[in-house]
Structure formats: structure tokens, C-alpha cells
Amino acid sequence: MNEQFQEDWLDARLREEAPYIDDAGFTAQVVQKLPPRRASRNSFRGAILLGVTMLACVVTYFASDGGRFLISAVNTFAAMPLWMLYVVAIGCGMVATGVAAAAAYFQAREQTLG
Amino acid sequence: MPLTDADLVARVLVDDDHHAFAELVRNHQSAIRGLLRQLTRSDLALADDLAQETFLRAYKHIRSFRGEAKFSTWLYRIAYNCFREDARKRKELVGIDETLLESQPDPQSADPALKHDLMHALQLLPLHERSAILLCCQNGLSHDEAARVLEIPLGTVKTNVLRGREKLKKTLAAWGPA
């Protein structure tokens, strides 16, 4: 019992003698010595996606004879009854939400797993 | 809600986020610097150099941290390795050093004389016992965690703690509880 008491006393004194050491610029010194940040992979990914999208737009424009398909699509929509336009709009919204939710899920998982 | 070590490590891994790493340094600098001060026998400049080296190594090798142990345990291990490598260079891996440095007086300490004697007693311990005592009794690591940090078998850690405690108790017998 006395043995245990002595050990507890000793451990308590040891913990007492380990006071909090003030940072005093230590963290700043360490951060200063870190190698420069590597280029963000996300911005590189974004640039690739943007480039591919723009290229696809240009190819489509020329392949469709100056974007004539857009005019015919607008005519088709204009000829649709109102309820069908609602259905198409809701469908597009659901697809976009699904894609965004999946992207958010995979991004969160990547961050969690590191 | 403050971010956990795991969150901060994830940010460093994914975005190479220096702010997140700075937060990790801020959270652990006191413990790491404290341990190194004790290991280097209160050589504050050397301890801070080694602490800096510890965090720079941690940043460089953060991909090898797999989250199996606590981040702090992983840091202690790097810090101990830094100390050991430096000590090897200085050929100071011996038990009792005759040229003990005086610990700096701490105005916050309740009893400076007790602190002095405790520090002195700690510094008299051989390195393997001192390290085990510092990790387990002062920094609250389990024997298992200390074994990982020191890279020695669990039984050896237990023995070192036991022997170290006995020596400290003997040296500090006059201060102990009645």
C-alpha cells in the first residue's frame, strides 16, 4: 500500500515537473523550414477538365454544322407541352444532384482515408 | 469543433496544407520539447534543434504514418530517434554523465529544491531507464506505447520503469510521503 502511495507520489511529482512549454515562435520556425507546397493536384485536375470540355465544345460546334442542333433542340422544347418540360427539368435536377452527391461522398472518403 | 490529429494529418496528406501541419506542431511542441529537454539533460538549445528536426522529419515522412498508433506516439518515436542519432554522434550514449548541467530554476514550481533534486535524480539514471520513466510516468504513455517508441520489448520497458522508479525513490527518499 505504502509502495503504491510512493509510486503515485513520484509519478505526480514527475508530471508536475513537466510544465507546458510556451510556443514562443517555435511553430513559426518549423513552418518556415518546410519545403514549398507542391502544386495542388486539384487545380491541375480542374485545368484538365476545363480544357477537355472546351475542346469538346469546339469539336461539337464544327461537327454539328455551326450548332444547328441547338436551334432544333430549342424548337423541340418550345413545341413540348408544359407538363413535359416540368418532367424534363425535374429529371435533369435529380441527375445533377446525384452526380454532386457522389462527388462529395468520394471527396470526403478520400480526405478521411488520406 | 477543433480538428483532431487525424483530420489535420489528412489535410496535410491531401492538400499539403502547411496551416494544418502548423496546428499539429502547436499541439505537440510542448510535449516533444519537454521530452527532449529531459533527454538532453536540460540543454535547451540542443533540445529545440532536435525538436525542430523531429517535426521536419514528421512532415517529410507523414505518408508513413498509418494511424495504427496515436500521432503523439509516432512523434515521440521520431523525437527519440533524433535524440539517439545525435547522441551517437556525440558519443554520449552512456549512463551517468559527470558533467551534469544544472536545471534552470522555474518560478512556477512549488518547491524549487524538490524540482532540483528530482531533475538531478532523473539525470543520474542511465538513458534506457530515464527514457522509460519520462515516457511512461511523465508523459503518460502505456508500457506498450513506450516499447514502440523506444523500439525495445515490452518486458524490457517494464523492467526499466521498475528499476528507474526504485532508484528515484531511493534518491528522493527524504522528500517522499511519510
Side-chain angles (χ1 to χ4, degrees):
Chain A
M1 188 67 189
N2 190 38
E3 188 83 355
Q4 184 61 43
F5 187 55
Q6 275 189 333
E7 283 184 8
D8 290 347
W9 176 85
L10 184 61
D11 286 2
R13 296 292 81 73
L14 280 166
R15 277 193 294 273
E16 266 175 28
E17 296 311 334
Y20 181 80
I21 299 171
D22 191 52
D23 187 88
F26 177 81
T27 300
Q29 275 182 348
V30 172
V31 172
Q32 218 171 22
K33 288 192 176 172
L34 292 179
R37 281 186 72 176
R38 59 176 186 262
S40 170
R41 281 184 301 170
N42 286 346
S43 61
F44 185 61
R45 243 183 251 171
I48 291 174
L49 277 174
L50 189 68
V52 169
T53 308
M54 287 175 72
L55 185 70
C57 288
V58 171
V59 169
T60 308
Y61 180 81
F62 287 109
S64 65
D65 194 17
R68 188 174 289 174
F69 73 100
L70 280 174
I71 297 160
S72 66
V74 168
N75 286 338
T76 309
F77 275 114
M80 273 183 187
L82 197 59
W83 66 268
M84 196 176 269
L85 277 177
Y86 278 130
V87 170
V88 171
I90 290 169
C92 288
M94 285 172 76
V95 169
T97 307
V99 170
Y105 169 75
F106 286 115
Q107 177 76 13
R109 204 170 72 150
E110 188 184 6
Q111 283 189 357
T112 309
L113 296 177
Chain B
M1 203 177 91
L3 293 171
T4 62
D5 283 351
D7 295 332
L8 294 168
V9 169
R11 285 187 181 201
V12 177
L13 284 168
V14 175
D15 293 330
D16 193 18
D17 187 341
H18 281 191
H19 293 295
F21 190 74
E23 197 59 34
L24 284 168
V25 176
R26 246 188 302 278
N27 292 345
H28 296 283
Q29 60 87 19
S30 176
I32 296 297
R33 288 164 81 195
L35 174 72
L36 286 165
R37 282 181 186 190
Q38 302 276 21
L39 287 172
T40 57
R41 292 175 167 144
S42 301
D43 185 339
L44 304 189
L46 174 62
D48 274 10
D49 283 351
L50 292 176
Q52 212 171 81
E53 175 64 20
T54 299
F55 285 109
L56 291 174
R57 271 193 208 182
Y59 177 82
K60 197 174 162 192
H61 299 290
I62 200 155
R63 286 191 182 279
S64 68
F65 173 66
R66 291 185 295 275
E68 288 160 357
K70 283 191 282 188
F71 186 70
S72 55
T73 308
W74 188 66
L75 278 180
Y76 280 132
R77 187 170 173 172
I78 298 174
Y80 187 72
N81 282 337
C82 283
F83 164 74
R84 211 162 41 175
E85 283 169 26
D86 181 77
R88 246 184 230 135
K89 275 184 215 156
R90 292 161 187 265
K91 298 190 178 175
E92 278 185 4
L93 269 181
V94 288
I96 297 169
D97 192 338
E98 295 303 321
T99 58
L100 294 178
L101 297 167
E102 292 290 324
S103 58
Q104 307 228 334
D106 180 358
Q108 288 177 332
S109 179
D111 193 334
L114 170 59
K115 180 188 166 107
H116 179 273
D117 284 0
L118 181 59
M119 300 298 280
H120 187 76
L122 258 178
Q123 289 170 358
L124 283 173
L125 294 178
L127 178 63
H128 54 277
E129 288 171 10
R130 187 157 33 110
S131 313
I133 287 282
L134 288 172
L135 289 171
C136 296
C137 305
Q138 194 171 60
N139 291 285
L141 268 69
S142 66
H143 288 155
D144 194 44
E145 286 171 328
R148 281 190 213 173
V149 171
L150 302 171
E151 293 174 326
I152 52 175
L154 179 61
T156 312
V157 172
K158 287 181 182 173
T159 309
N160 289 342
V161 170
L162 206 69
R163 284 186 186 156
R165 261 206 193 117
E166 282 308 311
K167 287 179 188 171
L168 285 179
K169 274 193 279 183
K170 260 184 213 165
T171 316
L172 301 170
W175 289 105

